[in-house]
């Protein structure tokens, strides 16, 4: 029997990366215990003047933190998929009281001051980069406060800067009463695409004309992975992000991506229904096919091929959303982001006092090993980030659990709850 323990330690927040991420991964293979800092790497939502046009490039790497997703997108142009928004249900944008308030007032409820200066956000309040930065900050704060309320612990907040432009806010709660490890990260980064990234995009037939050979970009998002102590409380992951590229004439290509997925240790059909139905209701407000299409996409993406099973029971996953117009896509992403509390916290509260055996805890550790396998073997953002010189591994590996276990596992006995879970993972179900 072999086991691996992943620990989190405090490190400096200041990145020394020359590209998108910080310190390079060294000696991962053969490492017994890995000392990691789980946080996100990001960029300040900077919108240059100019008209906006729709882009057709996907943004991948959902399971890694936002920055890893950015680099994963750049590395996997040949795997891009397109999500069409040909017909939508008309939505009248109704501003909430929070959205109607001034930006400075709304920022008082965040976990930290935003990455972008409040004065800049005020001046650019009608730009999509500002709207998205405010949304991801609000999502982070809402989710962190809900988790603190149920756990009784407090998130440690680390605001960091990126030398090349932008920065992020890392919120981590570890060894709490309910959560073994909870990370909720925001990143807002900007700068210039590398030549390699531009080549990847051009290989897709996209004509990108940069000024003096440079292509300014802006990327931002919120990303979270929650690993509870009790094996009857599932792990949850979500990531919502926005990407802009400015061309020579000042026009912009833009797109959104994201999703939310659930990874239980034991299947609870009522929990699965609540989770999926909450996501479906959010999707149905915008397009009748969104939930079905994005659930299938999620099941395909989070598939562990060498095990022949999905990582969990799915949820939704989408990329490259760029039509029919920017405001409608943003409203859809906003609806999805606002499900993160109602689709998960009721499940947590339901199982807070569930008792469990050592055998059930061992099964949780084995399932976490599968979670790690997917992240390190298949996730495009993680793979590219780890292979990129100058990468910040603490950001890339935030999604890993604090502890996990690998051992030879006999097929669970027929009729057992473990066997039931494997059946669901090997044959994805429809929950709503």
């Amino acid at each position: 029997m072999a086991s691996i323990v992943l620990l989190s330690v405090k490190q400096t927040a200041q990145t020394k990366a020359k590209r998108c991420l910080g310190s390079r991964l060294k000696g991962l293979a053969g490492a017994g215990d890995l000392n990691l800092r789980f946080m996100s790497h990001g960029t300040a939502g900077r919108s240059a003047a100019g008209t906006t046009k729709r882009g057709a490039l996907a943004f991948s790497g959902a399971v890694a933190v936002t920055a890893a997703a950015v680099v994963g997108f750049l590395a996997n142009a040949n795997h891009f998929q397109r999500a069409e928004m040909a017909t939508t249900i008309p939505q009248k944008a109704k501003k909430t009281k929070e959205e109607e308030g001034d930006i400075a007032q709304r920022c008082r409820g965040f976990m930290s001051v935003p990455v972008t200066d409040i004065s800049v956000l005020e001046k650019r309040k009608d730009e999509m980069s500002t709207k998205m930065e405010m949304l991801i900050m609000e999502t982070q704060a809402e989710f962190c406060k809900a988790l603190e309320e149920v756990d009784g612990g407090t998130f440690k907040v680390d605001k960091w800067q990126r030398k090349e432009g932008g920065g992020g806010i890392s919120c981590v709660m570890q060894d709490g009463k309910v959560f073994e490890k909870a990370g909720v990260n925001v990143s807002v980064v900007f700068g210039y695409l590398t030549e390699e990234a531009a080549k990847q995009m051009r290989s897709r037939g996209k004509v990108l004309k940069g000024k003096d050979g440079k292509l300014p970009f802006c990327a931002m998002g919120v990303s979270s992975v929650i690993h509870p102590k009790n094996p009857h409380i599932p792990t949850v992951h979500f990531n919502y992000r926005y990407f802009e590229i400015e061309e020579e004439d000042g026009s912009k290509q833009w797109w959104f991506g994201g999703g939310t997925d659930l990874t239980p240790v034991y299947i609870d059909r009522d929990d699965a229904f609540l989770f999926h139905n909450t996501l479906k209701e959010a999707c149905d407000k915008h397009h009748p096919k969104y939930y079905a299409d994005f659930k299938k996409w999620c099941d395909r993406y989070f598939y562990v091929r060498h095990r022949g099973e999905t990582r969990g029971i799915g949820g939704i996953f989408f990329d490259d959303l760029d039509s029919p117009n920017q405001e409608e896509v943003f409203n859809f992403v906003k609806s999805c982001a606002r499900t993160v509390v109602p689709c998960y916290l009721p499940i947590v509260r339901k199982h807070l006092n569930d008792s469990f055996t050592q055998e059930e805890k061992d099964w949780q550790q084995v399932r976490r090993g599968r979670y790690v396998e997917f992240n390190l073997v298949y996730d495009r953002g993680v793979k590219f980030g780890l292979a990129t010189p100058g990468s910040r591994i603490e950001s890339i590996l935030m999604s890993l659990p604090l502890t996990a276990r690998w051992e030879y596992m006999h097929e669970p006995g027929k009729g057992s709850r473990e066997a039931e879970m494997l059946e669901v993972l090997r044959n994805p179900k429809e929950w709503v």
Side-chain angles (χ1 to χ4, degrees):
M1 178 181 71
S3 63
I4 183 170
V5 178
L6 304 175
L7 301 177
S8 166
V9 297
K10 181 72 176 176
Q11 295 181 350
T12 177
Q14 179 64 38
T15 178
K16 296 182 180 180
K18 291 185 179 180
R19 294 190 180 181
C20 295
L21 302 171
S23 56
R24 178 183 298 186
L25 174 66
K26 292 183 178 179
L28 178 59
D33 294 343
L34 304 180
N35 292 321
L36 307 174
R37 178 163 173 263
F38 302 109
M39 60 180 287
S40 162
H41 198 328
T43 87
R46 190 172 163 183
S47 290
T51 58
T52 301
K53 64 181 178 182
R54 299 198 301 261
L57 302 172
F59 185 72
S60 62
V63 82
V65 287
T66 307
V70 173
V71 273
F73 150 70
L74 298 177
N76 288 277
N78 60 331
H79 293 124
F80 290 163
Q81 302 183 57
R82 188 171 179 80
E84 295 295 341
M85 292 179 71
T87 344
T88 60
I89 298 173
Q91 294 288 310
K92 290 185 178 179
K94 293 183 179 180
K95 292 186 177 181
T96 64
K97 290 182 180 179
E98 290 78 12
E99 292 171 325
E100 289 174 346
D102 63 59
I103 285 179
Q105 181 179 354
R106 292 165 63 191
C107 289
R108 295 190 186 102
F110 295 166
M111 300 300 287
S112 166
V113 294
V115 175
T116 305
D117 288 343
I118 293 177
S119 60
V120 175
L121 294 174
E122 290 277 12
K123 292 176 182 177
R124 301 175 178 174
K125 63 181 179 180
D126 294 326
E127 295 186 14
M128 185 51 66
S129 59
T130 295
K131 293 179 182 180
M132 187 63 180
E133 184 168 355
M134 294 299 288
L135 174 63
I136 61 180
M137 291 294 297
E138 287 167 349
T139 302
Q140 181 188 52
E142 179 184 7
F143 198 54
C144 284
K145 290 173 184 178
L147 296 176
E148 286 180 339
E149 182 180 352
V150 76
D151 184 275
T154 303
F155 276 90
K156 293 183 179 180
V157 180
D158 181 9
K159 189 172 187 292
W160 50 271
Q161 293 182 333
R162 175 176 176 264
K163 183 176 64 176
E164 294 82 359
I169 296 131
S170 170
C171 295
V172 177
M173 181 166 60
Q174 205 162 273
D175 287 324
K177 293 178 181 178
V178 178
F179 303 109
E180 184 176 282
K181 181 182 171 195
V184 191
N185 298 334
V186 158
S187 62
V188 182
V189 295
F190 58 88
Y192 294 97
L193 289 180
T194 63
E195 181 58 32
E196 178 60 29
K199 287 180 180 178
Q200 297 269 357
M201 294 179 187
R202 292 186 182 109
S203 71
R204 294 291 296 170
K206 202 67 188 170
V207 178
L208 299 174
K209 297 181 179 179
K211 189 175 183 179
D212 299 325
K214 294 183 178 180
L215 285 165
F217 81 94
C218 166
M220 61 188 66
V222 58
S223 181
S224 178
V225 179
I226 310 300
H227 293 291
K229 288 185 172 180
N230 192 316
H232 298 297
I233 303 176
T235 286
V236 73
H237 157 261
F238 69 82
N239 178 290
Y240 292 98
R241 53 199 181 271
Y242 173 69
F243 203 101
E244 277 185 359
I245 296 178
E246 182 182 340
E247 298 194 274
E248 184 179 20
D249 61 359
S251 64
K252 299 171 187 174
Q253 296 192 42
W254 57 266
W255 57 93
F256 293 85
T260 304
D261 62 280
L262 196 71
T263 305
V265 175
Y266 292 100
I267 195 65
D268 183 310
R269 296 180 187 279
D270 291 337
D271 292 350
F273 174 81
L274 182 147
F275 180 80
H276 279 269
N277 194 56
T278 304
L279 294 173
K280 183 178 184 299
E281 289 177 349
C283 291
D284 287 350
K285 294 177 183 177
H286 301 270
H287 196 293
K289 293 185 177 180
Y290 273 1
Y291 170 74
D293 290 348
F294 297 160
K295 180 194 180 295
K296 290 177 183 176
W297 199 338
C298 187
D299 289 339
R300 288 196 305 269
Y301 182 79
F302 292 107
Y303 183 70
V304 186
R305 291 190 294 276
H306 66 277
R307 297 287 185 183
E309 60 190 43
T310 56
R311 190 179 72 175
I313 63 169
I316 59 171
F317 177 84
F318 57 90
D319 239 335
D320 193 28
L321 287 183
D322 60 4
S323 63
N325 62 65
Q326 196 176 50
E327 197 64 32
E328 287 193 38
V329 186
F330 173 68
N331 286 334
F332 168 65
V333 171
K334 182 164 56 176
S335 293
C336 293
R338 288 181 174 166
T339 67
V340 298
V341 171
C343 79
Y344 183 60
L345 267 296
I347 298 173
V348 174
R349 293 184 183 279
K350 173 183 172 181
H351 298 288
L352 270 180
N353 299 314
D354 286 6
S355 60
F356 56 88
T357 65
Q358 183 59 50
E359 288 74 18
E360 289 172 329
K361 187 67 178 177
D362 290 344
W363 176 249
Q364 178 197 51
Q365 295 295 296
V366 171
R367 295 314 309 169
R368 283 185 177 173
R370 302 291 193 270
Y371 198 96
V372 172
E373 286 177 22
F374 174 84
N375 290 16
L376 295 183
V377 177
Y378 296 112
D379 187 76
R380 296 193 294 264
V382 171
K383 287 171 64 178
F384 184 75
L386 294 179
T388 301
S391 292
R392 186 186 184 111
I393 62 171
E394 297 86 355
S395 296
I396 299 166
L397 300 180
M398 185 276 290
S399 60
L400 299 182
L402 193 63
T403 61
R405 181 174 178 174
W406 284 266
E407 63 179 358
Y408 178 77
M409 185 181 71
H410 293 283
E411 193 72 11
K414 187 176 182 180
S416 67
R417 295 193 68 196
E418 291 80 7
E420 180 188 23
M421 187 73 246
L422 287 180
E423 171 62 23
V424 168
L425 298 178
R426 291 167 181 172
N427 300 283
K429 310 295 182 185
E430 298 299 324
W431 300 105
V432 293

